[in-house]
Amino acid sequence: VQLIPRLYDVTSGAILLDGKDIREIPLADLRRRIGVILQESILFTGTIRDNIAFGKPNATQEEIEEAAKIAQAHDFIMRLPDGYDTRVGQKGVNLSGGQKQRISIARALLIKPPILIMDDSTSALDLGTEKRLRQALGKLMKESMTFLIAQRITSVMQADQILVIENGAIVGKGTHDQLMRACEVYRDIYRSQFGEQEVRHYVEGRSS
């Protein structure tokens, strides 16, 4: 995913976007098409509104709130004394990890990027909030090519294709169902997160 916005360039082969080598696309144009949400959320001194609208300074309040609602941030923002005008301290020191992640997600969603990269960007969210976020993201993710990097299987279960990486190598590739049948590493991760009983129930249910 660091190759896609050309933080690094490939040393062999090529990455194509709509059939065109990304090295032939002006860098600013390429990066305008990409939304990146990192595990470590980076916020700037200013208001919450300023932070969400960073990539689209002319965004309307309605657009900002729509992105915040999808990111599951609107409700907690409205509970703050000054709402969207609440000042954010340097690096967001006055917000929790989950709140910072949701503001970062809203910032990326606001620009409606054709390519969305989420690098373990829901790790600080509780399971309920993450589930609501996944449901809200459903429509947008159908309109964008989305790369999800995650350690929670619940984050990637609905993906069209999942890559399982162990010690820097791809050890499994497929849908959730395919990997549960054919990839022991994936089953081990599932087992560690859901328990042995859930694995048995899953396998027995699929084979019956």
Side-chain angles (χ1 to χ4, degrees):
V1 295
Q2 294 190 49
L3 295 172
I4 296 168
R6 293 189 61 197
L7 300 180
Y8 299 95
D9 271 330
V10 295
T11 53
S12 63
I15 295 174
L16 306 183
L17 178 58
D18 294 331
K20 187 173 184 178
D21 190 322
I22 61 172
R23 288 169 292 188
E24 298 174 7
I25 302 172
L27 192 58
D29 291 346
L30 173 67
R31 291 179 177 172
R32 270 195 292 269
R33 303 185 196 185
I34 302 170
V36 181
I37 311 165
L38 302 174
Q39 179 179 13
E40 183 178 350
S41 305
I42 300 173
L43 300 184
F44 311 101
T45 301
T47 66
I48 287 178
R49 179 186 291 103
D50 293 338
N51 271 275
I52 294 176
F54 182 78
K56 189 178 179 182
N58 62 342
T60 66
Q61 181 65 22
E62 184 179 5
E63 289 175 317
I64 291 169
E65 290 187 12
E66 178 189 9
K69 287 174 181 176
I70 295 173
Q72 307 303 301
H74 178 73
D75 289 347
F76 90 75
I77 292 171
M78 294 306 294
R79 288 194 296 267
L80 297 172
D82 296 315
Y84 283 85
D85 291 319
T86 299
R87 300 285 298 179
V88 176
Q90 189 174 19
K91 297 184 179 180
V93 293
N94 51 334
L95 298 172
S96 71
Q99 289 172 335
K100 288 189 286 187
Q101 281 192 336
R102 282 176 277 175
I103 290 173
S104 294
I105 291 169
R107 181 169 61 203
L109 299 183
L110 180 65
I111 64 173
K112 293 182 169 61
I115 298 173
L116 179 62
I117 297 171
M118 301 180 71
D119 186 356
D120 210 11
S121 55
T122 61
S123 59
L125 304 185
D126 62 79
L127 292 176
T129 302
E130 187 195 23
K131 182 178 179 179
R132 291 192 297 274
L133 173 62
R134 286 201 313 274
Q135 292 170 341
L137 277 172
K139 180 182 177 182
L140 179 72
M141 289 171 68
K142 289 177 183 176
E143 298 170 353
S144 300
M145 178 180 291
T146 305
F147 293 84
L148 291 170
I149 301 171
Q151 298 181 44
R152 290 178 183 167
I153 280 187
T154 53
S155 299
V156 300
M157 286 174 67
Q158 305 304 317
D160 298 319
Q161 180 167 256
I162 303 168
L163 303 179
V164 184
I165 298 175
E166 184 180 46
N167 298 323
I170 295 174
V171 296
K173 179 169 66 173
T175 64
H176 173 71
D177 287 344
Q178 291 168 341
L179 290 168
M180 285 296 288
R181 290 195 300 268
C183 181
E184 184 60 37
V185 174
Y186 190 80
R187 282 197 301 273
D188 285 344
I189 298 170
Y190 189 93
R191 185 178 292 111
S192 71
Q193 296 180 10
F194 295 95
E196 179 64 36
Q197 188 173 4
E198 285 296 318
V199 174
R200 285 202 302 271
H201 285 169
Y202 187 92
V203 173
E204 290 168 2
R206 292 290 170 175
S207 59
S208 62

